[in-house]
Every structure is written in structure tokens, then in C-alpha cells.
Amino acid sequence: MVKLNIEGRVDATNAGEFQTAVLNAFQKGTNVIIDMKDLVYISSAGLRALLIGQKTAKSKNGSQKLINVCPLVKNIFKMTGFADVLIIE
């Protein structure tokens, strides 16, 4: 299991770095936990990175799990339909 801690905002300015971090985590293990306790906002570019992570997990027979998601970010996931695709605890 590999754990990533995400903080602040994930938007167009840093979503590429976030995507790279997620993909690098899957090179270290097949199960990735993304701790979002300090994340306050995620844009569509960040959602794309999570979707790529989810697809990578599936291709490796692993998992990508999001934990400590704040209500605002959970609402973004619900409004975009990502709450039905991602594993959120």
C-alpha cells in the first residue's frame, strides 16, 4: 500500500504534478490511498488525474482509495458523478 497526502488546491496549474504523483505511486504498489484531509478544492483537471489513477488501479488489479475527503470536495465528486466511480471512505 502506498499513501499520498494531498493539500491545498488541485487545479490546472498543478494537476500534471498530481497525476504524475498518482502514477508514480502505482509504480511502487498496486494499492494507493490518497489522503485528502488538507485538500480544499479539486478542478476538472484534478478529477481527470483521479480517473487515470482509478483506471491504472483496475489494470493492475489494485485499488485507489480516497480518505478524509472534506464536504466541499465530496460535493464536487457528487455533482460530477465521480462519487459513483471513485472509492471514497
Side-chain angles (χ1 to χ4, degrees):
M1 173 186 56
V2 180
K3 187 175 179 186
L4 290 177
N5 295 310
I6 306 302
E7 59 186 46
R9 298 171 58 91
V10 175
D11 54 31
T13 62
N14 60 5
E17 293 172 37
F18 176 53
Q19 181 176 320
T20 299
V22 170
L23 293 176
N24 286 343
F26 278 107
Q27 289 181 353
K28 297 175 185 172
T30 56
N31 298 307
V32 174
I33 293 176
I34 302 175
D35 191 335
M36 298 187 156
K37 73 176 179 188
D38 296 319
L39 182 72
V40 296
Y41 175 78
I42 189 163
S43 73
S44 59
L47 294 175
R48 180 179 180 273
L50 288 174
L51 186 60
I52 289 170
Q54 188 71 19
K55 289 181 178 183
T56 302
K58 196 172 203 175
S59 73
K60 293 181 169 257
N61 293 319
S63 67
Q64 172 182 267
K65 190 182 303 182
L66 311 179
I67 62 171
N68 300 319
V69 181
C70 76
L72 177 63
V73 174
K74 270 189 188 175
N75 194 39
I76 292 169
F77 291 153
K78 287 177 187 172
M79 288 189 320
T80 58
F82 274 68
D84 299 328
V85 177
L86 303 172
I87 300 169
I88 304 169
E89 291 187 355

